[in-house]
Amino acid sequence: MSLRTCIVLAIGVALTGAADAQTNLQCEHLIAPLGIDAPHPRLSWQLDKGDQSAYSITVRTDQGAVWYSGKIASGAQLISYEGSPLRPFTKYYWTVQAWDKNGRPQTISTSTFETGMMGESHWKGNWITDSRNIALKPAGLFRRTFNAAKPIKEARAYIAVAGLYQLYINGHRIGDHALDPMYTRFDRRNLYVTYDVTRDIVDGKNAIGVELGNGWYNLQSTAVWYFDKAPWRARPSFDMDLRLTYTDGSVETISTGKEWRTTLGPRIFNSIYTGEHYDANKEIPGWNEISYADTAWREPEYADAPSRNIVSEAMVPIRREDTLNAEVSKRFSDTDVVFDLHRNIAGVSEITLNAEKGTTITLTHGERIYPTGHVDQSNINVHYRPHDNTDPFQTDIYICKGTGRETFSPAFNYKGFQYVEVKSDKPIRIEGLKAYFMHSDVPRAGKIATSDSILQKVWAATNNSYLSNLFGYPTDCPQREKNGWTGDAHTAVETGLYSFDGITVYEKWLADHRDEQQPNGVLPSIIPSDGWGYEWGNGPDWTSSVAIIPWTVYLFYGDTTILSQNYDAIKRYVDHIATLFPDGICTWGLGDWIPVKSQTPVPFTSTAFYYTDAKILADISKILRRKGDNYDSLATHIKDAFNKKWLDPATGNYDQGFQTELSTALYRGLVPNSLIAKTAAKLADRVNADSVKLDVGLLGTKTILNALSENGYPVLAYRLASATTEPSWGYWIVNGLTTLQENWPMEAKTDISRNHIMFGEIGAWMYKALGGIRPDPTMPGFKRILLEPHIIQTVKNFSCEHDCPYGPIKSSWTNNADGWEYDATIPPGAEAILKLPNQPERRLASGTYHFAGTEYR
């Protein structure tokens, strides 16, 4: 069939006319942030419509302008502030003025950002605590009163905590964040949070209340990672400045010190790892209110600052997002009831009940139930090492006060669960049990809709697992470990960024990398770490997160900041590997974790990642213009050594020809150009010989679908992705799972968490292969979009959308009796290169487009 008869319709409708205004103005990738510390904050925006030929930025305070960029002839929509030094505690107004391609100006758009401490020297408060006893279990309460003698113009609370906290003013909880501040290497960096509390302050007397939780700072539970022996461990402490600006321009700061009072509260035990115990009989009514008499409370103790590096928490917070109402799964008696959420989540439960005073309730959380109907924790408690039975795993304990309806939900813990078993030592009346899905509140940045119900559910399950493992840092699972495993994170980073705007979480986590890196470049396999992981699991197949994640974030956002911040860390890491393995073959690593059956040799995958790191470093050095750093030659040396050891040039086969081996060589660019077709054919033959079933582990899961789709076998990749027989993602779905497992068999004996993200690359693959949406490395941030959708003839329809820095990219196709139809939307300010089956390559400007055809290859 000729190309002329193949193309049924090809219409391109470009957006025209002047853009009305700039939208989605952000500072440091946040909307109107409070309390930033960046001396040169990044400012970005999107366009309503049209294309931008030039722009200007003006930044001012209430006292006048502090920076005018001048009119800059550029289509860039991201710039760093370069004006006079920013002052602490100052609100800045910034405006962007853009001109369209015809030189016509847009309406000026305005947003704000506000600086915070801008350095340790501006803190006025002291670090205080209630005890130096790390074994003391009840959470500490702190309070003080103060007098606002004049009318308030604005008030800001700045609070830094070693541990976790909840802040109150005049009895009201401040903010809706959960588990603040985020987990860091506490003895090297601490985060503070800023709140606008203007409306919470009243004229005259006011009261501040703070409750402190242990978090990872003072973990009293014991597991194989020795967090109870962390070098930073101490009783929780905090430093707080409440800065009051009066209408007459004067400023008063209410700070932590000996004026505060402290006592122990009703939260008699809290562990972020296991659970929370709460005795409602120990509640202190009104403890955080003005009228409470704290004469029986005592003076706090001064504490050492956990580190000398106290910086702003400039990132999205953790929140309680979705609310799920549980249903009774089985009622054994009036003292033993099991509830089912019908969905696996990370978060907390909340119970409402009536019971006699002193009744003890236990809420045991798990992902599975035994055939008897009781909660089964055997798949998630295997690394827990309790000394006794007083701290049961994933279990909350509530002691009732017996005054009628009571409601309990933990404040300083989260769990991974679908089922909750409620037991009591006396009969109780449960009025309801619900749960809150918790995670870092990353904005949605993508969506997928398809007629293939299995793929639709796999995508949803992948997102559920991604969010369940995002708590200010990416984790492996929300129950058994809660550890920031580096390999899981770099495998899933594209999946995360296609569906969620996660840059602030990753920037924070890369700072954690820099905190953890040893002088010689070595990183631990889990980050943050108490010291565990420097001797196991931390080869380049895992800790390449230090290179892969900055590079991926750069591709998605076009922001070089993350490259410059981490360049030296990547360089030290690659240089260390080069010192250890001068012949180019790296034997250091964990390997293709939990494969179906075939085990790829560790040196194969570790050398492939070593090459990836060297190639990324070479590319970054050019972008940042680091003269004298030539890592292209190192990358070539590694590639040559890799191919000399494992490639059969006559056949294009690698080593034993396993799925992971062949797909790794293809996906990571190690196959010589002349042999790509041969190696891809070998991979297709291997998959067919394996009865079109997966035979990969964690590392191979990243490469298998992509290697097939990118090298001429998209239908075979789709068959793997949509399969419903074991082992497959679809097999989990048809067996009722709503998240991704850690192991392919449903009833594996080990490594069987039911909420792991490590096999989650399939989510990104749907955007990249079926939707065909990729960033162009030469014009990153989707300034230029590479569009190459693989239209699967047996699928009725597929559509996806990704909200990139320029706006929504849309890609969708539908099959009908005449062939296929394809629609695309390119956002204002971006362009695209489109490749459709058996059609010429097209260059598209911003706009909406419709095409059709009859050929699929």
Side-chain angles (χ1 to χ4, degrees), residues 255-424:
S255 300
T256 41
K258 291 292 187 176
E259 303 88 352
W260 288 65
R261 308 291 289 172
T262 184
T263 194
L264 300 178
R267 216 172 302 274
I268 56 177
F269 175 78
N270 68 96
S271 166
I272 196 168
Y273 183 64
T274 58
E276 202 162 284
H277 308 170
Y278 189 96
D279 187 347
N281 300 283
K282 295 181 182 294
E283 288 180 343
I284 306 172
W287 71 272
N288 49 20
E289 297 176 0
I290 300 166
S291 58
Y292 180 77
D294 57 18
T295 52
W297 292 32
R298 60 186 180 82
E299 186 179 85
E301 300 179 28
Y302 287 132
D304 292 334
S307 79
R308 303 293 294 180
N309 187 19
I310 316 296
V311 298
S312 173
E313 186 173 282
M315 62 186 297
V316 293
I318 299 166
R319 288 190 171 99
R320 293 184 174 191
E321 291 295 325
D322 300 342
T323 302
L324 291 76
N325 292 313
E327 296 180 355
V328 173
S329 171
K330 190 162 185 178
R331 186 181 299 275
F332 292 95
S333 67
D334 55 6
T335 60
D336 189 352
V337 183
V338 176
F339 290 86
D340 185 358
L341 300 175
H342 302 289
R343 178 179 166 189
N344 198 355
I345 67 165
V348 293
S349 61
E350 179 179 282
I351 189 169
T352 300
L353 54 88
N354 277 269
E356 292 181 16
K357 180 181 176 66
T359 303
T360 299
I361 316 293
T362 61
L363 297 93
T364 302
H365 302 69
E367 297 182 312
R368 307 191 305 192
I369 53 175
Y370 289 109
T372 59
H374 290 288
V375 167
D376 173 11
Q377 292 188 336
S378 62
N379 67 316
I380 56 175
N381 64 7
V382 292
H383 296 319
Y384 185 37
R385 300 291 185 268
H387 296 301
D388 54 38
N389 62 358
T390 61
D391 180 16
F393 187 68
Q394 283 222 145
T395 299
D396 295 328
I397 299 175
Y398 180 76
I399 302 173
C400 301
K401 58 185 173 183
T403 57
R405 174 185 284 189
E406 304 178 46
T407 297
F408 167 73
S409 185
F412 301 128
N413 167 265
Y414 77 97
K415 309 169 187 71
F417 64 103
Q418 177 174 332
Y419 301 94
V420 182
E421 185 159 2
V422 181
K423 291 185 177 181
S424 57

Side-chain angles (χ1 to χ4, degrees), residues 1 62 78 98 107 156 163 191 232 360 433 442-443 563 643 727 787 813:
M1 180 179 292
D62 290 333
L78 172 71
T107 302
R156 301 290 186 264
L191 305 179
W232 59 70
T360 299
L433 187 139
V442 283
L563 302 183
N643 286 323
L787 274 180
W813 45 262

Side-chain angles (χ1 to χ4, degrees), residues 91-107:
K91 188 171 188 176
Y92 290 86
Y93 305 84
W94 68 280
T95 61
V96 55
Q97 167 82 73
W99 287 262
D100 73 3
K101 61 184 179 182
N102 297 315
R104 291 176 294 189
Q106 294 179 317
T107 302

Side-chain angles (χ1 to χ4, degrees), residues 583-587 601-605 607 637-649 653-656 661:
D583 64 352
I585 301 299
C586 176
T587 61
V602 167
F604 189 100
T605 47
T607 302
H637 170 62
I638 300 165
K639 184 174 182 176
D640 290 345
F642 181 90
N643 286 323
K644 181 179 180 181
K645 184 171 181 66
W646 286 296
L647 170 64
D648 179 354
N653 192 46
Y654 277 85
D655 196 43
Q656 301 164 84
E661 293 172 333

